[in-house]
Amino acid sequence: MIRINENYLKLQASYLFSNIAQRVSDFQENHPERKIIKLGIGDVTRALPPACINAFHSAVDEMAEDSSFMGYGPEQGYDFLREKIAENDFKARGADVSSQEIFVSDGAKCDTGNIQELFATDIRIAIPDPVYPVYLDTNVMAGRTGSFENGRYKNVLYLDCTKENGFIPDLPENPVDLIYLCFPNNPTGAVATREVLKTWVDYATENRALILYDAAYEAFIRDETIPRSIYEIEGAREVAIEFRSFSKTAGFTGTRCAYTVVPKTCTAYDALGEKHLLHEMWNRRHSTKFNGVSYPVQKAAEAVYSEEGNAQIKSLIDYYLKNAALIRKEMTGLGYACVGGDNSPYIWIDGKIDSWKFFDLLLNNAGVVCTPGAGFGKCGEGFIRISAFNSFENVKEAMVRIREALS
Ligand code: MLT
């Protein structure tokens, strides 16, 4: 008899963003005349930078000739891209990462979801609350979380991110083995200082733990004192894996390109306490289950590091940050406490009422889609997240409508 993985039965509802999309589509069906402004899922709306488009076009032309055609590429990514990444995203900031430690992939969502395959199913995991749902759900699927009771999984150590701790989690009181961190944070928009990251790296070192560091939003950091990579912190090469993405940095959500850094010095242990290199394990996994990102997409990603590409992505991000500043200013003006939006595209707003109620209120009365904080975990209850990914005109209109709906 074919049997299912019963861990799937422990998952709560459907994936958050599918659930929201369904509600929005039902609403639109019942109100076809309403123009909905989407500030929910963090999906970019601006065109790819011209430098990326040009590189994309040339690479497609190369594929059109037998003499320059490319078949399977290296599973880990082409060296032309890995070298640019190592040079610009790490070495230029004093972080010691080599091109051979970079694994190019089709998304940080896939990588943050898949990486847990490398670890035992009975390790202790620490996950922030609120959190990007992929970290939690993939551990539920793998059978690491236990059952769901009173709004939480029994075997997960939740790292509460609240007003009281400035949305920066405190170190766990009980020892853990695997720690998920995300800065600039999705959903709260909070950023971690060098000192905060140092305490986590030290914790991981002392406890023989590992940090999974999601830095998908690092390009939004404007405060120069804030680290963009965990490898700017001494000791991180031994205890951290970092995830990056071109999605929000360069508008690649529909194009798909990301990368994961697994330093060759990063280790984990078997049951006998013997050390193993995670780089070798991830390489084995990646080359078995993944056939690489397409050549034209990697050429487009490489163009991000050209002089024009660099200037273009900076203005792209400035554009979204201008939206974020407007959202934060307007919501603060309406009397709502906000975090994020300065070094992040997300604004985390204390809605002071049930977050799905706030979501419905904005959808029904303003035709604006946000993300209810409760969808990111228990500590998100009472909050909503507004995303800055839309046109400035739409964001302006959304804020006028929200003001009317809430006044
Ligand atoms: C979000 O809105 O949290 C993200 O866009 C989802 C994602 O990147 O998968």
Side-chain angles (χ1 to χ4, degrees):
M1 170 177 80
I2 176 67
R3 291 188 45 217
I4 58 163
N5 172 356
E6 291 186 26
N7 294 313
Y8 275 66
L9 305 178
K10 298 176 193 155
L11 290 163
Q12 299 306 297
S14 56
Y15 182 58
L16 173 64
F17 294 106
S18 320
N19 183 357
I20 292 170
Q22 189 57 53
R23 285 182 185 229
V24 173
S25 131
D26 292 347
F27 178 84
Q28 189 75 89
E29 211 164 281
N30 294 329
H31 306 274
E33 74 296 347
R34 297 283 296 276
K35 180 192 162 207
I36 293 175
I37 302 178
K38 293 184 180 166
L39 303 176
I41 190 166
D43 192 6
V44 295
T45 57
R46 311 273 298 165
L48 288 173
C52 299
I53 287 294
N54 290 339
F56 218 153
H57 277 299
S58 322
V60 170
D61 288 342
E62 283 182 68
M63 298 297 258
E65 301 293 334
D66 288 347
S67 57
S68 48
F69 170 79
M70 312 286 277
Y72 289 130
E75 291 95 353
Q76 301 80 354
Y78 286 100
D79 279 344
F80 62 76
L81 177 58
R82 297 168 89 197
E83 276 157 20
K84 293 269 170 33
I85 292 171
E87 201 49 53
N88 293 275
D89 290 349
F90 298 101
K91 291 194 180 122
R93 297 193 58 85
D96 175 19
V97 169
S98 87
S99 62
Q100 298 309 300
E101 295 173 322
I102 290 159
F103 293 85
V104 176
S105 78
D106 61 347
K109 177 181 184 174
C110 323
D111 286 353
T112 53
N114 289 329
I115 195 85
Q116 47 76 30
E117 282 183 23
L118 302 192
F119 310 109
T121 45
D122 57 354
I123 53 165
R124 297 157 298 185
I125 55 171
I127 296 192
D129 180 351
V131 75
Y132 178 46
V134 172
Y135 315 153
L136 185 62
D137 287 357
T138 51
N139 276 291
V140 176
M141 292 168 179
R144 230 172 251 117
T145 59
S147 54
F148 191 75
E149 288 167 22
N150 304 319
R152 287 192 154 175
Y153 289 96
K154 232 171 68 198
N155 301 342
V156 174
L157 192 140
Y158 289 88
L159 302 169
D160 291 354
C161 301
T162 60
K163 265 186 279 192
E164 288 66 37
N165 61 19
F167 303 97
I168 303 290
D170 300 321
L171 293 178
E173 278 168 16
N174 300 314
V176 293
D177 308 304
L178 187 66
I179 301 152
Y180 286 81
L181 293 178
C182 170
F183 292 111
N185 187 260
N186 178 14
T188 70
V191 286
T193 60
R194 192 167 292 279
E195 294 67 37
V196 164
L197 288 187
K198 180 80 177 104
T199 61
W200 282 100
V201 168
D202 289 348
Y203 174 90
T205 310
E206 280 154 29
N207 291 279
R208 297 202 290 177
L210 183 81
I211 297 171
L212 299 178
Y213 190 72
D214 185 350
Y217 298 93
E218 59 76 34
F220 290 81
I221 297 175
R222 286 291 176 264
D223 179 342
E224 272 304 320
T225 66
I226 301 292
R228 288 180 171 219
S229 164
I230 196 155
Y231 304 119
E232 291 176 44
I233 309 302
E234 204 192 323
R237 279 185 55 83
E238 281 67 40
V239 295
I241 289 176
E242 181 165 308
F243 305 90
R244 294 274 191 109
S245 172
F246 293 97
S247 284
K248 318 294 158 93
T249 307
F252 275 55
T253 52
T255 309
R256 312 307 306 152
C257 197
Y259 66 87
T260 290
V261 182
V262 188
K264 289 189 175 167
T265 43
C266 197
T267 51
Y269 302 83
D270 64 21
L272 299 174
E274 291 293 322
K275 273 189 184 182
H276 296 269
L277 293 178
L278 288 172
H279 183 275
E280 278 179 12
M281 289 179 71
W282 185 243
N283 192 39
R284 188 71 175 81
R285 193 256 170 222
H286 202 66
S287 45
T288 302
K289 294 197 177 182
F290 187 62
N291 249 343
V293 173
S294 79
Y295 175 72
V297 168
Q298 292 194 59
K299 282 308 259 186
E302 183 198 17
V304 162
Y305 300 101
S306 64
E307 208 177 311
E308 353 38 294
N310 209 301
Q312 288 159 7
I313 64 163
K314 178 164 183 309
S315 80
L316 196 60
I317 290 164
D318 283 345
Y319 182 94
Y320 292 127
L321 282 173
K322 185 171 149 205
N323 291 349
L326 177 66
I327 296 166
R328 185 165 171 158
K329 179 171 151 259
E330 289 290 332
M331 294 307 291
T332 307
L334 287 168
Y336 294 92
C338 302
V339 286
D342 38 8
N343 293 293
S344 147
Y346 297 128
I347 299 92
W348 187 241
I349 298 156
D350 187 349
K352 298 181 279 196
I353 58 167
D354 174 281
S355 51
W356 278 105
K357 273 205 186 110
F358 205 114
F359 170 88
D360 285 335
L361 182 105
L362 291 192
L363 183 59
N364 294 322
N365 299 358
V368 173
V369 181
C370 67
T371 309
F376 296 105
K378 207 170 181 175
C379 293
E381 181 51 88
F383 289 82
I384 57 159
R385 188 194 77 175
I386 297 188
S387 142
F389 293 117
N390 211 313
S391 68
F392 186 64
E393 293 66 37
N394 278 347
V395 167
K396 254 190 351 200
E397 188 183 331
M399 298 324 294
V400 170
R401 292 198 211 163
I402 289 178
R403 199 181 316 136
E404 277 166 13
L406 297 179
S407 302

